[in-house]
Amino acid sequence: MTAATDSTLFPQVPDSPDAVLEGLDPEQREVATALHGPVCVLAGAGTGKTRAITHRIAYGVRAGILPPAGVLAVTFTQRAAGEMRGRLRQLGVQGVQARTFHSAALRQLQFFWPRAVGGELPPLIERKAQLVGEAATRCRLRLDRTELRDVTSEIEWSKVTQTVPEDYPAAAAKAGRAAPRDPAEISRIYALYEQLKRERSVIDFEDVLLLTVGILQDRPDIAETVRGQYQHFVVDEYQDVSPLQQRLLELWVGERESLCVVGDASQTIYSFTGATADHLLDFRTRHPSATVVKLVRDYRSTPQVVHFANGLLAQAHGRAAEHRLELVSQRDPGPEPVCAEFADEPAEAEGVARRVRDLIASGVPASEIAVLYRINAQSEVYEQALADLSVPCQLRGAERFFERPEVREAFVVLRGAARAGGNDALLDDAVDLPSQVRAVLGTKGWTPQPPAGSGAVRDRWESLAALVRLSVDFAAAHPEATLSDLVAELDERARAQHAPTVEGVTLASLHAAKGLEWDAVFVVGLTDGMLPITYARTEEQIEEERRLLYVGITRARRVLTLSWSLARSPGGRPGRQPSRFLTGLRPGTSAGARRAATGAVSGSVTGGGFARGPVAGRGRVRRSPARCRVCGRSLTDPGEVKLMRCEDCPSELDEVLYERLQQWRARQAALLGQPDYCVFTDKTLLAIAEAVPDDEAALSRISGVRSRKLQQFGADLLALCAGEELPTDPGQDAPQRE
């Protein structure tokens, strides 16, 4: 069967209306030719929905049935609208309006405002959160940055669900929303925020829709003018429509039924913003004469990936699950999806990075590989693991780690504390560098235990916790280091990670991955508490988390890997459980079992990595607890685990060897064009200088000397440990860049 997307960037323009229909499958052709009356297209992931609706518009225009200027196609992102316009041009159609809801509404609002209200449309505010913060201050309430963001989100949700300030507490309770502050306080902030906007004659993003709705409701003459301009409407991603957008659409359409909607209830993942699949699922009820077409031929993913995705939804509950689409792959078979279990998060990141490197070596472009996670704070460990293997990466939908607002904010307070030195009372009780960092970052939201609150709170905490862990590692490698030394190290690392990449592996949250696809996808961190996220408590919230995983899985064309780790840190207690959503999908588990074994079946499930190492007992690699090589005490701190000794136990450091190792590392980093720490961290060099290994087996037992680095640098390290001299001329035996 034909592919679902255009095969070239510049295809030949069809020479006739019938030629527009060539290459469409039977269901896509049915969509394209259903030009009269209401039409509802239920389109599964990868089934060519954009192709179907753009060919529908093109066929209608080219056949003279639809006037191009009378068609308005709306979607949810500028990228999707631009793609739609591009495809229409390739089909020989000009003049059709393809816009986002907000873009279309703003255009109409600017045109009709002088006639409906008089004067010019008030300007849009650039920083909504700033005005929300001012409203909170006037209410004598103090919001930190995370609370400010979450309260702003609550106001946005209220407006798109057409909830006025005084009704917010009841509406939030009915919707099961976890309010970041007391609902009554949010109601007061919301009311004063609206008052401040009126005083300053400004509007916000949501007002664009609200005001357009208001004008169309109050001025029938203007509504008729709009309906005279647009006689035919197409709505993409209809499962993401909010009540406010639905009301606007109804006013655009009026009593006519020339409306085509496209969506998939199984991809509803934005309900926290007010989106609801009810409008899609109720379309046939509101329009009894509607033509309903289901697109289930999946042209994106292999049968193996599609089977896994179908299996995930087969366990779903709720209304969306009742209308799920059973996809049928149209592609040749590919490899089975892989489920991989790791001892800890660094091991998981390293295992994924190695597999990514192997895929690139086999010919898969780096830009066709993605690592997807639940929250943006998970990106940092994967950024580092990929950097360690010289694999370029790019973040989508989030700032790089050192560009995150909370990290920038942490830099400011750490730098201030470093300048104050002993004059900062905050540090009076801090006994070492890590405790100083904990004390300083505690003022910005870091706590010893992760929060159970909203995503923004958890994101912020994860970023600060990463800085705390980095301070522990830095102090272990530099026992005499000061806070100023740590700040200098952070600045150096930030500069190193700002290097631009033209071609790179995509790191993205599952939400940011919507609408995209790659040849190979790694969905990582799949533990209960992360997916589903901790604060998903109701059945509706948990089912949305399942749909989020479904979206991630269906981004993969051929290679799909799902992974999780049993502990956060090396040596930590392996108390985590794989995501409940994988039960019944992982070999060795059944849908009726809450927690079952992880067995190695046909190479599709591995323990402790990707098809390497023995799998014991229930399929997990059993690792003995790390113990101090001096006193024998069990070790849990990551820094102590790497050194294999307690921080207070005596060190057997060979200082001369340590200095030579640092000089050697600097030369290797210069040859590779990377920061020093990408060769080996200070702590790894310290561990080598303490252990002084005399063979590969002893060297490989040092944390941080993995197989790839053992192969690349092992001979040099053993020679240095043996007291041998190495050539310093870059031309002699220089390691090759991988």
Side-chain angles (χ1 to χ4, degrees):
M1 184 57 67
T2 179
T5 57
D6 296 308
S7 58
T8 65
L9 292 176
F10 302 101
Q12 184 176 356
V13 175
D15 57 9
S16 67
D18 288 341
V20 171
L21 302 178
E22 292 178 2
L24 299 181
D25 68 30
E27 293 78 25
Q28 291 171 346
R29 181 181 287 259
E30 185 178 357
V31 172
T33 55
L35 298 173
H36 301 285
V39 177
C40 179
V41 183
L42 303 176
T47 57
K49 67 178 179 62
T50 305
R51 178 180 175 88
I53 58 176
T54 52
H55 279 67
R56 179 181 189 273
I57 295 171
Y59 177 71
V61 171
R62 296 284 298 272
I65 300 172
L66 302 177
V71 178
L72 177 59
V74 290
T75 186
F76 285 83
T77 66
Q78 294 290 356
R79 180 188 62 80
E83 180 184 359
M84 194 177 294
R85 288 192 295 268
R87 292 201 188 196
L88 289 171
R89 283 194 299 270
Q90 292 170 355
L91 294 170
V93 173
Q94 302 285 344
V96 170
Q97 293 293 315
R99 297 179 175 274
T100 65
F101 267 100
H102 281 85
S103 173
L106 181 60
R107 193 163 182 255
Q108 293 174 18
L109 196 59
Q110 289 171 331
F111 183 81
F112 291 111
W113 186 268
R115 175 175 161 188
V117 181
E120 293 186 357
L121 179 69
L124 278 164
I125 56 174
E126 296 182 0
R127 295 182 178 87
K128 180 189 300 177
Q130 183 176 342
L131 203 59
V132 173
E134 185 176 339
T137 300
R138 290 200 182 185
C139 292
R140 297 185 178 180
L141 297 171
R142 184 172 181 177
L143 305 179
D144 62 28
R145 189 188 65 83
T146 300
E147 289 177 320
L148 178 59
R149 187 172 81 175
D150 289 343
V151 169
T152 301
S153 295
E154 289 303 293
I155 292 174
E156 291 171 348
W157 173 82
S158 299
K159 298 184 75 167
V160 300
T161 56
Q162 303 177 83
T163 301
V164 295
E166 55 268 27
D167 292 342
Y168 169 78
K174 183 178 179 180
R177 295 185 71 81
R181 295 285 295 241
D182 182 278
E185 292 179 342
I186 295 177
S187 177
R188 288 164 52 204
I189 296 171
Y190 178 15
L192 192 52
Y193 166 76
E194 292 296 316
Q195 179 182 325
L196 288 173
K197 285 196 294 131
R198 289 191 296 271
E199 290 175 359
R200 298 175 187 181
S201 299
V202 294
I203 61 175
D204 63 22
F205 200 56
E206 290 71 39
D207 288 333
V208 171
L209 299 184
L210 284 165
L211 292 171
T212 305
V213 166
I215 288 176
L216 295 179
Q217 285 181 159
D218 296 342
R219 292 291 299 269
D221 57 323
I222 293 178
E224 286 306 313
T225 301
V226 172
R227 293 166 193 157
Q229 170 68 44
Y230 299 114
Q231 298 89 41
H232 190 85
F233 296 85
V234 177
V235 185
D236 192 14
E237 303 288 3
Y238 193 53
Q239 77 279 351
D240 291 332
V241 165
S242 70
L244 179 57
Q245 290 165 330
Q246 174 64 22
R247 180 57 184 146
L248 177 59
L249 179 64
E250 291 168 353
L251 289 167
W252 280 342
V253 176
E255 298 299 320
R256 299 163 303 175
E257 292 200 317
S258 186
L259 170 65
C260 174
V261 300
V262 188
D264 178 10
S266 296
Q267 296 187 67
T268 306
I269 59 173
Y270 292 107
S271 66
F272 60 93
T273 67
T276 172
D278 288 346
H279 304 304
L280 174 67
L281 300 178
D282 292 338
F283 190 83
R284 187 69 179 269
T285 302
R286 296 195 311 274
H287 303 277
S289 63
T291 299
V292 179
V293 183
K294 294 183 180 180
L295 301 183
V296 297
R297 301 176 195 247
D298 188 325
Y299 298 96
R300 176 187 298 158
S301 304
T302 63
Q304 288 77 11
V305 173
V306 167
H307 178 72
F308 200 97
N310 285 339
L312 176 67
L313 287 189
Q315 300 179 25
H317 305 282
R319 193 177 183 210
E322 295 171 1
H323 296 268
R324 70 184 181 89
L325 299 170
E326 187 84 12
L327 300 179
V328 181
S329 175
Q330 306 298 298
R331 293 196 55 178
D332 292 334
E336 290 289 340
V338 171
C339 294
E341 183 176 272
F342 294 87
D344 50 68
E345 287 183 7
E348 182 181 4
E350 183 183 343
V352 168
R354 281 199 310 269
R355 179 63 178 139
V356 166
R357 181 198 59 188
D358 293 344
L359 285 172
I360 293 173
S362 72
V364 180
S367 59
E368 286 295 344
I369 303 173
V371 178
L372 307 180
Y373 35 77
R374 176 60 178 86
I375 60 174
N376 290 326
Q378 293 172 272
S379 71
E380 193 266 344
V381 67
Y382 291 93
E383 291 179 67
Q384 183 62 59
L386 291 167
D388 285 346
L389 298 184
S390 302
V391 176
C393 63
Q394 53 186 337
L395 269 71
R396 184 180 186 93
E399 308 93 341
R400 292 183 64 86
F401 179 75
F402 286 107
E403 295 174 354
R404 295 173 186 164
E406 62 267 25
V407 175
R408 290 175 177 269
E409 199 173 310
F411 272 35
V412 172
V413 294
L414 287 171
R415 191 170 286 112
R419 283 197 299 266
N423 297 323
D424 192 338
L426 188 66
L427 306 180
D428 286 348
D429 297 327
V431 297
D432 56 14
L433 178 59
S435 59
Q436 289 177 340
V437 172
R438 293 185 186 103
V440 173
L441 297 187
T443 66
K444 293 299 177 183
W446 180 83
T447 56
Q449 297 299 322
S454 66
V457 173
R458 185 62 178 259
D459 282 0
R460 180 183 179 85
W461 184 90
E462 291 285 358
S463 296
L464 298 178
L467 293 176
V468 171
R469 291 194 297 269
L470 192 149
S471 73
V472 173
D473 293 348
F474 187 72
H478 302 281
E480 304 300 320
T482 65
L483 200 53
S484 295
D485 296 327
L486 176 64
V487 169
E489 172 73 7
L490 290 172
D491 286 336
E492 180 182 343
R493 287 173 177 255
R495 285 192 297 270
Q497 292 191 7
H498 283 168
T501 56
V502 177
E503 172 86 0
V505 174
T506 298
L507 300 179
S509 71
L510 289 164
H511 282 102
K514 180 74 166 64
L516 304 174
E517 58 185 77
W518 296 269
D519 284 343
V521 168
F522 294 80
V523 187
V524 301
L526 292 177
T527 59
D528 263 356
M530 186 57 72
L531 197 74
I533 199 76
T534 304
Y535 51 82
R537 298 184 179 91
T538 67
E539 181 176 345
E540 292 81 3
Q541 291 168 338
I542 290 172
E543 286 305 313
E544 180 144 334
E545 295 286 299
R546 188 194 305 274
R547 295 193 294 270
L548 190 57
L549 177 57
Y550 175 78
V551 166
I553 289 170
T554 54
R555 301 309 96 192
R557 298 192 191 104
R558 188 168 184 275
V559 176
L560 173 64
T561 302
L562 304 104
S563 63
W564 61 91
S565 54
L566 302 177
R568 176 184 296 277
S569 305
R573 185 176 68 86
R576 293 175 169 178
Q577 295 185 351
S579 170
R580 69 192 72 173
F581 299 146
L582 298 179
T583 302
L585 300 176
R586 296 183 290 126
T589 66
S590 62
R594 173 64 185 86
R595 176 75 171 118
T598 302
V601 180
S602 302
S604 62
V605 175
T606 62
F610 296 103
R612 64 190 204 100
V615 180
R618 295 191 302 170
R620 296 178 180 171
V621 173
R622 299 298 184 187
R623 297 190 179 186
S624 300
R627 295 187 179 277
C628 175
R629 53 188 166 82
V630 179
C631 69
R633 182 178 67 85
S634 294
L635 303 176
T636 57
D637 180 82
E640 293 181 342
V641 169
K642 178 160 281 193
L643 293 175
M644 292 305 293
R645 65 170 173 82
C646 302
E647 187 175 349
D648 298 332
C649 283
S651 169
E652 302 170 355
L653 175 66
D654 184 331
E655 294 184 3
V656 174
L657 174 58
Y658 184 53
E659 184 177 348
R660 294 182 68 208
L661 287 169
Q662 288 180 310
Q663 294 170 350
W664 167 85
R665 180 183 64 175
R667 293 196 299 271
Q668 301 306 313
L671 288 172
L672 295 171
Q674 296 179 339
D676 288 358
Y677 68 86
C678 287
V679 178
F680 285 112
T681 64
D682 288 344
K683 190 178 299 145
T684 299
L685 295 188
L686 191 65
I688 294 171
E690 289 188 358
V692 194
D694 56 7
D695 58 28
E696 283 196 0
L699 183 59
S700 67
R701 286 194 290 271
I702 295 174
S703 178
V705 185
R706 303 291 184 177
S707 57
R708 178 253 182 188
K709 291 193 176 182
L710 182 64
Q711 180 180 4
Q712 187 175 9
F713 301 123
D716 278 8
L717 293 174
L718 291 173
L720 289 168
C721 290
E724 300 175 12
E725 293 294 331
L726 296 179
T728 57
D729 183 351
Q732 300 183 49
D733 301 322
Q736 298 299 309
R737 188 175 189 142
E738 294 191 0

